[in-house]
Amino acid sequence: MTHKIILDTDPGIDDAMAIFFAFQHPEIDVLGLTTVFGNVPVTMAARNAVTLCDIAGQDIPVTQGVGMPWVGPESTYAHFVHGDDGFGNTFPKASEKPLDPRSSAQFIIDMARQYPGEITLVAIGPLGNLALALRLEPDLPKLVKGVSIMGGAAFVPGNVTPVAEANIWNDAHAAAIVFAADWKLTMFGLDVTLQTPFSPTFMDKLADKNSTLGGFVKDASQFYMDFYSQNRDDKVCFFHDAFPLAHLIHPELFTVTEGQVRVGTGELDRGQTVVAPAGTTASPLWTEAQTINVATKVEHDKLEQLFIDAYAL
Ligand code: RIB
Ligand code: CA
C-alpha cells in the first residue's frame, strides 16, 4: 500500500533525516514539502527543503509557509540545536531551484481537493500552515485521510518549558486550532521520541548504507548530537521527526492510546498538550474536546532497523 503524504517541515536536522527516510521508502509517496518557521526562519526552511530535494534527486513541489506564530512575536529559532544553517553548520551548497509559488497552506488545500480522502498530512514542525489551511478550507478534515504530527508531550515533561514541546510551544494557538479540528490525528510527542536515543553507531550505519543521504545525516548530526549529549555520559541524539513516518509503514511497532486533548495558550501553560485518557475527567473542557491518538511506546530496535533498511535501498 502506498501512502500519499505532504510533509510540513522546518528543516532542521531531524527533519532532514525524516525527509530522506520518506523519499527512500517505496510505500511513501511525498507529494510535496511545505515549509514553516521553527528550527530556522521560514525562508531558510524553504531553501533547506529544496536543497534536501536536490541532494536526494527528488523533483517535487516545495512551498514556503507561515513565518510567524499565530499570536506573538517572531520566534528566536533553534540555531543552538540545528546550527546557523539548520544543518549543523555543514553549509551544503544551497539549491537554486525555485519554490512552488503557492503558500504552504494553499498547496495543502489544492492537493487535498485533488486527492480527496487519500493524503496524510505529516507535520513535523510548528502547526501554522495546517491551522491556516483549516481557516481557508473549513472542509479540510473531510478532504484528508488523516494527520500525523511530531509534537507535544502528553504524559512527560516538555523540552522548551517544563510542560511544552518545541513544535507546539512555537505556535500554541495554531496547535490549538489543529488539535480542535474534527480529523483523525495521531500525536508522536516526546512521550515516544525521547524513549529512543540514537547513537553514533546508528549514524555510521546510515552513512555506510547510503553515502549521500546517510552521509549527510551523519555529518549534520554531529552538532545536533553535541547539543543532546550535554550532561550525558554517552553521545546520543533524537530523530523525533521520523516517528510519524515510521508509524505509517509499521504501526504495529507503536503503542498508541486515545485521549481528549487541550493545548495551553497562556503564559505558564503555553504549548502544553494536556491529554485526558477516556474516563479520567468529567471536566467539559476535556470531555467536549477532540479525541486524538497519542503514541506512548515504540519497539526501538525494530524502528532503528526500519530506518537503516530504508536508507540502504
Ligand atoms: O521538539 C522536537 C521538534 O522540534 C522536532 O520537530 C524538531 O525538528 C523541532 O522542530
Ligand atoms: Ca521539525
Side-chain angles (χ1 to χ4, degrees):
M1 172 187 185
T2 299
H3 301 271
K4 278 190 176 64
I5 73 167
I6 292 171
L7 252 175
D8 192 71
T9 177
D10 60 335
I13 291 163
D14 61 324
D15 300 71
M17 184 271 185
I19 289 165
F20 286 161
F21 170 73
F23 286 160
Q24 286 289 107
H25 202 286
E27 293 176 35
I28 299 177
D29 177 10
V30 184
L31 298 181
L33 301 182
T34 53
T35 62
V36 63
F37 83 94
N39 290 324
V40 297
V42 69
T43 49
M44 184 180 286
R47 189 50 41 201
N48 282 356
V50 182
T51 300
L52 293 174
C53 289
D54 271 9
I55 291 168
Q58 295 283 331
D59 185 14
I60 59 171
V62 176
T63 61
Q64 181 170 314
V66 298
M68 291 281 288
W70 209 258
V71 172
E74 182 179 5
S75 168
T76 52
Y77 310 112
H79 293 295
F80 63 99
V81 181
H82 294 268
D84 294 341
D85 63 344
F87 290 144
N89 295 329
T90 56
F91 293 97
K93 182 178 181 309
S95 168
E96 294 174 3
K97 278 190 184 163
L99 297 172
D100 183 294
R102 288 169 286 187
S103 70
S104 293
Q106 191 58 54
F107 180 82
I108 289 168
I109 293 164
D110 290 351
M111 290 298 104
R113 287 173 177 160
Q114 185 174 342
Y115 300 104
E118 296 184 45
I119 297 172
T120 301
L121 302 180
V122 181
I124 56 178
L127 293 171
N129 292 329
L130 271 67
L132 183 55
L134 281 165
R135 287 294 185 260
L136 292 171
E137 174 48 274
D139 284 339
L140 188 62
K142 300 188 185 97
L143 293 171
V144 300
K145 184 176 180 183
V147 180
S148 289
I149 75 158
M150 190 281 134
F155 311 112
V156 298
N159 60 358
V160 174
T161 77
V163 297
E165 178 279 331
N167 285 338
I168 311 302
W169 182 84
N170 265 313
D171 204 340
H173 291 82
I177 291 167
V178 170
F179 279 101
D182 186 14
W183 45 20
K184 182 175 181 284
L185 187 147
T186 305
M187 179 180 120
F188 300 83
L190 301 179
D191 310 81
V192 68
T193 68
L194 287 183
Q195 278 178 20
T196 53
F198 291 89
S199 70
T201 306
F202 172 75
M203 254 67 81
D204 290 341
K205 288 177 183 173
L206 289 191
D208 291 345
K209 297 292 184 185
N210 189 317
S211 59
T212 303
L213 307 186
F216 177 93
V217 171
K218 177 179 176 179
D219 293 347
S221 297
Q222 299 314 303
F223 183 90
Y224 188 61
M225 195 173 289
D226 289 346
F227 168 77
Y228 271 109
S229 302
Q230 301 168 79
N231 313 316
R232 286 180 71 114
D233 298 330
D234 56 348
K235 296 280 279 183
V236 298
C237 69
F238 296 90
F239 289 114
H240 308 273
D241 290 337
F243 283 57
L245 295 162
H247 182 263
L248 277 181
I249 307 302
H250 284 296
E252 74 280 2
L253 300 183
F254 292 81
T255 301
V256 174
T257 186
E258 275 194 350
Q260 290 168 296
V261 64
R262 294 297 301 272
V263 181
T265 56
E267 182 190 21
L268 288 180
D269 67 347
R270 169 183 165 184
Q272 185 175 9
T273 47
V274 187
V275 177
T280 58
T281 181
S283 167
L285 294 175
W286 274 268
T287 58
E288 292 172 8
Q290 283 297 329
T291 296
I292 67 166
N293 294 310
V294 178
T296 56
K297 286 187 186 133
V298 68
E299 294 183 55
H300 175 94
D301 293 344
K302 289 180 180 175
L303 179 75
E304 188 166 309
Q305 196 57 50
L306 170 64
F307 296 145
I308 291 165
D309 292 346
Y311 272 69
L313 294 174

